[in-house]
Amino acid sequence: MESSHQHSPLTMFCILLIFSLMALSALTWFGWSVFQLYVQIAENGPIIVFDKGVFYMLGVGSAIAILTLYMFYEGVLKLPLTEKVAKILTNSLIGSFSVMFVLPHIVHYPVESYLEGRGYNICEQASYQWRRYQKIVYVSNSDACAELIKRKKNRITGGV
């Protein structure tokens, strides 16, 4: 990709830094959320929150990291993109997008089956969905669900 306009080193550094931070943030969010889900399941608590939307972050973080590598390769190292490197980056990017759209659904069903098999039910009123982003709240008893609904209503009404 040739361009008649060359960016200053400071501009390139800032762009790479921003993209690197975005990739790191998305991957950290994903990792932390998976760890929290694991801890909640291992502790058998009365409430388990499955953040289905966070599983999109693995694909997003990977895609941004791949784009950052591409920018570093061409923008900083000033190396021409060979056919082999282009193929690797393209396949990795396609894989990242595939993970982004498939992983949330692949993970959701085994988690749901496992939790339902252990006596957990979905607390619909405490769960949340906006477009494709979804937080599913599983509870082991109806009292936990009622408490979550009460807290949610207090938060919405400001405690009134």
Side-chain angles (χ1 to χ4, degrees), residues 77-160:
L77 299 179
K78 307 262 190 250
L79 295 172
L81 198 61
T82 64
E83 191 174 316
K84 182 179 179 181
V85 172
K87 186 175 183 178
I88 290 170
L89 290 175
T90 301
N91 288 338
S92 299
L93 203 55
I94 290 169
S96 294
F97 285 120
S98 299
V99 164
M100 185 178 359
F101 293 109
V102 174
L103 186 64
H105 306 294
I106 289 175
V107 173
H108 174 236
Y109 295 112
V111 167
E112 183 174 55
S113 295
Y114 178 79
L115 291 175
E116 286 179 352
R118 300 198 64 176
Y120 286 86
N121 296 308
I122 296 174
C123 182
E124 293 286 340
Q125 296 88 348
S127 297
Y128 171 81
Q129 180 170 354
W130 181 76
R131 300 196 186 245
R132 299 193 61 80
Y133 183 81
Q134 190 175 22
K135 272 189 179 178
I136 305 167
V137 179
Y138 293 91
V139 294
S140 60
N141 58 59
S142 58
D143 292 338
C145 186
E147 178 63 29
L148 286 173
I149 294 167
K150 180 180 170 185
R151 278 195 249 161
K152 187 175 181 179
K153 286 180 182 175
N154 283 341
R155 191 177 39 211
I156 292 171
T157 62
V160 178

Side-chain angles (χ1 to χ4, degrees), residues 35-48 114-115 118 120 140:
F35 174 72
Q36 289 297 314
L37 177 64
Y38 172 78
V39 167
Q40 289 175 10
I41 290 173
E43 289 178 348
N44 290 320
I47 300 167
I48 296 176
Y114 178 79
L115 291 175
R118 300 198 64 176
Y120 286 86
S140 60

Side-chain angles (χ1 to χ4, degrees), residues 4-59:
S4 61
H5 177 69
Q6 294 296 320
H7 296 287
S8 73
L10 181 60
T11 303
M12 285 300 296
F13 174 77
C14 289
I15 291 169
L16 287 172
L17 180 65
I18 290 168
F19 269 68
S20 297
L21 290 174
M22 288 183 347
L24 187 62
S25 297
L27 294 172
T28 301
W29 182 13
F30 167 76
W32 181 251
S33 295
V34 169
F35 174 72
Q36 289 297 314
L37 177 64
Y38 172 78
V39 167
Q40 289 175 10
I41 290 173
E43 289 178 348
N44 290 320
I47 300 167
I48 296 176
V49 179
F50 177 69
D51 190 350
K52 188 175 178 180
V54 81
F55 286 91
Y56 292 100
M57 288 296 110
L58 179 61

